[in-house]
Amino acid sequence: MAHLAGGTVYRIAAERLQQFCWDAFERVGASGEHARLLADALVEADLRGVETHGSSRLGMYVERMKTGSINPRPRLRVVVEQGATAVLDADRAMGQLACWEAMGRAMDLAESHGVGVVAVRNSGHAGALGYPAARALSRDMIGLVTTNTGPLMAPWGGARPVLGNNPFAVAVPSDAGFPVILDTALSVVARGHIIMADRRGEPIPEGWAIDLEGRPTTDAEAALLGSVLPIAGHKGYGMALMLEILTGVLAGGTFGTDVGRFAGGDPRRPVDMSHLAVALRVPSFMEVAEFRARVTRLLEQVKSSRRADAADEVLVPGERSWRERERRLREGIPLEEATVAILRKVARELDLDPPV
């Protein structure tokens, strides 16, 4: 436990935090296998420094399982399958579980067709997408996962949220010594960072969000009522619109303003999000060893680039989070007071021993 300027920070071993999350999910009705996977997804996010999608969300998930807006024992089923494509109905499952299942099915299809594409509807909030995308690496495949979200972002030139910030992740096999994964939303910053700032009573930087009238704001509360801003202005908006089509529209699910909000929304209402999982079988294009070597050479070119004056080194996607993961496995996962309070509240509600 450390005392920093922003308050007390607790450190907890990954195994202990994972066991607590596992126990919590089982206590609200999830099967042992599903509870383990969900706990692993949250703790992996914490290990990689993506606290906005880690154990800080456990309270929201538990509440939604209690209300029934998340189905703790879903029966995921394929409703359409043709060639290399399929559509999966997630039966209101946690999005992490639905995306994991979708990637598994996409990998199976890719074994036969070179590529597998699985659309998912009737699902929940999916958290950090690098987790299911990385599943493809175990079978020498490139994995891509994307999702729509509740309306968080106004269209370019608009003032009211219509689209999600629609994140996506791509995982690529290489010999770099760490998983090469890009995991990003199409907003300047994930809405979870604004939620965390609001919990701490802190302002947010300019350029993150606008208020309900479309005016730039540094007030976290006003930003949560308003809209996050897209990356690269109109280009980020256009990408978010296209991913809305590739998820909600293509899967036959809800889209745009019909999608429910996860954080800050009615916990009794299913969010009804949609996802898309794509697996590319590398051996269908070239030998795996050749592909991995080519990726590694490209990364070496990027990393050997002459550095800007203010830069210590050039990093590639996934490198910083892998280093953070290694450090947190050794030193423990740092949890802020606000997250610890959430975990202790869950422990009281479910009659569990608090993890910290």
Side-chain angles (χ1 to χ4, degrees):
M1 185 171 66
H3 297 278
L4 304 179
T8 302
V9 174
Y10 301 78
R11 287 199 177 269
I12 181 173
E15 296 83 358
R16 180 168 175 77
L17 183 58
Q18 183 185 39
Q19 187 63 58
F20 176 76
C21 294
W22 185 343
D23 291 342
F25 284 126
E26 282 194 315
R27 193 62 63 93
V28 289
S31 69
E33 178 186 358
H34 287 177
R36 180 203 58 77
L37 189 147
L38 295 172
D40 190 53
L42 296 190
V43 174
E44 274 296 315
D46 279 330
L47 282 170
R48 293 177 178 273
V50 191
E51 293 91 349
T52 54
H53 289 358
S55 58
S56 66
R57 299 271 177 140
L58 181 63
M60 297 182 193
Y61 291 131
V62 165
E63 182 180 24
R64 285 182 171 273
M65 283 187 174
K66 285 182 172 181
T67 64
S69 65
I70 291 176
N71 185 353
R73 287 188 173 267
R75 296 181 62 186
L76 293 86
R77 60 190 180 92
V78 173
V79 292
V80 177
E81 185 168 359
Q82 182 173 347
T85 65
V87 178
L88 185 70
D89 187 296
D91 193 24
R92 291 183 290 108
M94 288 265 290
Q96 292 90 336
L97 177 61
C99 287
W100 185 265
E101 176 70 14
M103 178 53 69
R105 290 182 179 273
M107 291 159 62
D108 290 342
L109 291 170
E111 293 287 2
S112 301
H113 302 281
V115 60
V117 183
V118 177
V120 183
R121 65 187 182 218
N122 193 19
S123 183
H125 181 264
L129 298 181
Y131 183 77
R135 186 179 188 187
L137 301 180
S138 65
R139 285 159 70 176
D140 290 316
M141 297 185 185
I142 298 169
L144 182 151
V145 179
T146 186
T147 181
N148 64 2
T149 75
L152 308 174
M153 193 161 67
W156 191 245
R160 298 297 172 96
V162 174
L163 300 171
N165 61 353
N166 297 356
F168 68 95
V170 182
V172 180
S174 80
D175 294 321
F178 58 88
V180 179
I181 302 172
L182 173 66
D183 186 350
T184 186
L186 293 176
S187 52
V188 173
V189 67
R191 192 167 183 266
H193 288 292
I194 302 176
I195 293 171
M196 298 290 277
D198 184 51
R199 287 175 181 168
R200 294 192 293 262
E202 297 174 355
I204 60 173
E206 292 184 8
W208 277 18
I210 55 177
D211 64 16
L212 275 173
E213 303 306 318
R215 300 171 299 208
T217 183
T218 59
D219 183 279
E221 184 177 4
L224 291 175
L225 295 173
S227 170
V228 295
L229 287 170
I231 61 173
H234 65 284
K235 296 180 181 179
Y237 149 63
M239 291 172 66
L241 179 61
M242 291 300 115
L243 291 186
E244 194 81 41
I245 293 171
L246 290 176
T247 52
V249 175
L250 185 64
T254 58
F255 50 83
T257 56
D258 293 329
V259 182
R261 279 198 175 189
F262 175 66
D266 183 351
R268 298 165 298 181
R269 176 192 172 185
V271 292
D272 203 5
M273 293 179 183
S274 300
H275 323 300
L276 187 75
V278 179
L280 296 171
R281 182 178 177 269
V282 171
S284 297
F285 297 83
M286 66 178 67
E287 292 293 328
V288 173
E290 180 185 1
F291 177 81
R292 294 171 73 96
R294 288 170 64 85
V295 171
T296 301
R297 281 205 307 276
L298 173 60
L299 299 182
E300 289 171 349
Q301 291 176 12
V302 171
K303 289 185 66 61
S304 64
S305 171
R306 181 176 176 177
R307 298 191 302 274
D309 291 341
D312 294 327
E313 65 175 317
V314 176
L315 298 173
V316 296
E319 188 170 10
R320 186 191 303 276
S321 62
W322 183 255
R323 292 178 185 176
E324 188 64 22
R325 185 182 189 277
E326 295 290 288
R327 186 174 71 85
R328 293 185 178 198
L329 282 173
R330 293 191 308 269
E331 301 175 3
I333 296 172
L335 299 178
E336 296 184 354
E337 285 185 290
T339 298
V340 170
I342 290 169
L343 299 180
R344 288 175 174 170
K345 182 174 183 290
V346 169
R348 289 193 302 270
E349 291 176 351
L350 302 181
D351 193 25
L352 294 170
D353 292 331
V356 286

